[in-house]
Amino acid sequence: RMSSSAAASVRSAAPTARPARHCRTSRVKYAATTVETTHRGRHHVRFAGRRAGVCCQAVAAEEGAEVADVLDGSSLFLVGMMGTGKSSVGRKMATALGYNFFDTDTIIESVAKMSIPEIFESDGEEGFRAIETSVLAEVAAYKKCVVATGGGIVKRRENWMHLRNGVVVCLVGPPDLLARRIVADGAEARPLFKEAGNDVAAVAGKIEEMYAERQKLYANADVEARLQELRIRVQSVG
């Protein structure tokens, strides 16, 4: 029942999106068709991801089209800590690439008919993660999509099977910057930061603690995009 509800919510979020008939890991395609070795294949994907990161905020539409050609229909999955701007960056990337955009947290709330804090209150983190995996499985079946995911989606091993259907981009930023963003949005509304309240230092400390636990998981991403570097590149392009 949850799977069918997730599928309906995904179709509602992007009615023009179509599932891929065959989902294959993007890095294999790049290694086989674009470059000579697996190492260089990974490098090429990293380059394509960085270019896509620039395009998400740059004004040159033709640059987005160029990156879309390199991606050849592969979806982009944005991972990273809360406060890195996965949703806002993802929307801009989708527009630049001519892709559909999905936000897993938004779909989860649609499926559960509850807010994320309410899901945590009712079913705990494990209940939330189960819905998250179901939603990701549905979204991962689609091509030409940019998907903004929740910060903890990397914690479940089975989720990586779905993330590997596209290029995984990890957004990274300093804890103090992320903490300020989270507090500005209302830290108390985020279940994992409830105890920290709106104390920037306390939120930054919680971010450092969580990042230490997840760092090795985030390192599995194909691309690491640092927020400071994206700003520098965008300035140089504009």
Side-chain angles (χ1 to χ4, degrees):
R1 185 179 301 175
M2 181 62 71
S3 179
S4 62
S5 181
S9 294
V10 168
R11 289 194 296 271
S12 175
T16 61
R18 293 291 180 268
R21 292 185 179 180
H22 302 287
C23 292
R24 307 182 72 176
T25 302
S26 302
R27 292 166 309 166
V28 174
K29 183 190 299 181
Y30 287 127
T33 64
T34 309
V35 290
E36 299 176 0
T37 67
T38 301
H39 173 72
R40 289 193 62 196
R42 185 176 179 85
H43 176 75
H44 186 81
V45 173
R46 291 176 64 84
F47 171 76
R50 284 198 297 271
R51 289 294 301 280
V54 173
C55 286
C56 74
Q57 296 179 43
V59 295
E62 65 275 11
E63 198 170 339
E66 181 184 342
V67 176
D69 287 343
V70 173
L71 291 172
D72 192 28
S74 296
S75 291
L76 295 176
F77 294 89
L78 306 187
V79 303
M81 292 294 296
M82 283 179 267
T84 51
K86 298 183 294 291
S87 295
S88 57
V89 169
R91 287 188 186 92
K92 292 176 182 177
M93 290 179 76
T95 298
L97 295 170
Y99 274 24
N100 288 286
F101 173 73
F102 292 116
D103 185 315
T104 57
D105 282 352
T106 300
I107 298 173
I108 288 168
E109 291 184 329
S110 175
V111 168
K113 294 179 170 50
M114 291 189 288
S115 67
I116 289 175
E118 288 172 338
I119 298 171
F120 269 77
E121 184 70 25
S122 173
D123 304 320
E125 185 174 357
E126 280 304 307
F128 170 79
R129 297 298 174 200
I131 302 173
E132 184 177 56
T133 296
S134 178
V135 166
L136 179 62
E138 291 294 335
V139 171
Y142 289 74
K143 294 188 70 176
K144 294 187 176 181
C145 294
V146 177
V147 183
T149 68
I153 205 164
V154 296
K155 294 172 63 176
R156 275 195 169 195
R157 181 175 296 182
E158 61 193 290
N159 288 344
W160 281 98
M161 175 180 68
H162 304 306
L163 293 171
R164 290 305 185 198
N165 282 331
V167 178
V168 184
V169 182
C170 182
L171 301 185
V172 180
D176 59 332
L177 170 61
L178 306 189
R180 289 196 300 273
R181 290 182 172 185
I182 290 171
V183 168
D185 289 340
E188 293 177 349
R190 296 178 181 262
L192 297 179
F193 291 95
K194 197 171 184 178
E195 294 182 1
N198 284 323
D199 184 323
V200 173
V203 172
K206 181 65 175 177
I207 290 172
E208 290 178 349
E209 176 186 325
M210 293 169 64
Y211 185 72
E213 295 174 354
R214 301 174 182 179
Q215 186 173 11
K216 290 183 179 180
L217 299 172
Y218 288 139
N220 290 320
D222 300 302
V223 182
E224 182 181 274
R226 296 186 175 274
L227 301 184
Q228 308 95 309
E229 293 177 6
L230 284 180
R231 285 201 298 269
I232 293 170
R233 284 188 168 84
V234 171
Q235 288 170 359
S236 64
V237 172

